Amino acid sequence: MRRMTDETPRQTLPTLLVVIGSLAAGVLAGVLLSQEAGGINGAYAPAGDTNARLVSLENSYKGIRKDFDEFEKQTLKIQSQNMPRRSIKLDVTSQSYDWIETDLGVLMVIVENVQPYADGQRITMRIGNPHNAAFVGFKGSFAYGKLGNFQTKDQDFTTTLNAGAWTNVSAILPKLPADQLDSIYMALDINQISLRR
């Protein structure tokens, strides 16, 4: 099965995260060593001065993290514009359609609604098949959550996507907070094609 590689955030710039973490750890270690060694003047830094340095370090880290998050969002936007749309972010609010590429052609997707279901939630979609062939069964791959902590789930569908028609399908995902509903990504793999004789 093809994995989501075009817009999956958890695969974006892992090296930069390591560099940011190492930089923050190095600066913090430098502050602590400076205090132990008595600083340049050979005297211990006052506790207030050390606290101020730690607060400054924390603020610097927050600024770097904010810049990185914005950079990551822009990277995802560029990727979505310049690479094949093998995965899309589901629009759970406007009920407008988006298009997604599969090995056998382009399909349209509209999210009808999101409702509680057991201990999770059900996402009801309409998938439009503009082709003359019907697609018999398909697999949906979903990624959801927050940047840096995305979860994934695959779901097999036995529903036939009839030629030239919209088909209703539902995906079951764990319950997500309202602020994460706009961060659900989906990719589709078609299992079988059906043509008229």
Side-chain angles (χ1 to χ4, degrees):
M1 188 201 82
R2 185 183 298 273
R3 296 290 179 185
M4 287 187 284
T5 58
D6 302 333
E7 293 189 45
T8 306
R10 69 174 168 187
Q11 295 178 355
T12 305
L13 304 175
T15 305
L16 186 54
L17 281 175
V18 172
V19 171
I20 290 173
S22 299
L23 177 62
V27 173
L28 179 59
V31 170
L32 296 176
L33 286 174
S34 175
Q35 181 183 6
E36 278 189 23
I40 296 174
N41 297 324
Y44 284 102
D49 188 40
T50 301
N51 289 337
R53 289 182 186 180
L54 290 174
V55 169
S56 175
L57 175 63
E58 183 178 0
N59 290 336
S60 295
Y61 173 76
K62 287 179 181 177
I64 292 171
R65 182 68 215 188
K66 182 178 178 181
D67 290 343
F68 172 75
D69 288 344
E70 182 60 29
F71 178 69
E72 192 167 38
K73 289 178 184 176
Q74 293 302 320
T75 300
L76 290 174
K77 184 176 179 181
I78 292 170
Q79 287 177 338
S80 68
Q81 292 172 346
N82 295 292
M83 300 181 72
R85 293 173 57 87
R86 299 299 306 213
S87 64
I88 60 171
K89 181 189 287 188
L90 295 180
D91 184 347
V92 300
T93 57
S94 70
Q95 291 192 341
S96 60
Y97 79 88
D98 201 352
W99 59 274
I100 186 170
E101 289 187 2
T102 72
D103 288 336
L104 297 177
V106 172
L107 300 174
M108 269 71 78
V109 179
I110 296 175
V111 176
E112 290 287 329
N113 59 57
V114 180
Q115 296 176 318
Y117 181 83
D119 59 348
Q121 58 196 11
R122 177 170 54 199
I123 300 176
T124 302
M125 297 172 284
R126 278 191 292 153
I127 298 180
N129 176 8
H131 305 283
N132 287 327
F135 300 126
V136 183
F138 59 97
K139 178 175 287 186
S141 297
F142 299 88
Y144 48 87
K146 290 185 176 181
L147 286 173
N149 187 29
F150 266 66
Q151 307 296 314
T152 61
K153 179 184 178 181
D154 293 339
Q155 181 171 333
D156 289 313
F157 296 87
T158 58
T159 308
T160 297
L161 301 177
N162 291 314
W166 291 97
T167 303
N168 289 340
V169 298
S170 294
I172 307 301
L173 298 179
K175 186 170 180 60
L176 296 175
D179 63 348
Q180 294 182 26
L181 286 176
D182 63 347
S183 298
I184 302 174
Y185 295 80
M186 180 181 73
L188 295 177
D189 284 330
I190 303 299
N191 297 335
Q192 186 177 349
I193 191 169
S194 175
L195 297 172
R196 297 190 187 96
R197 289 178 180 256

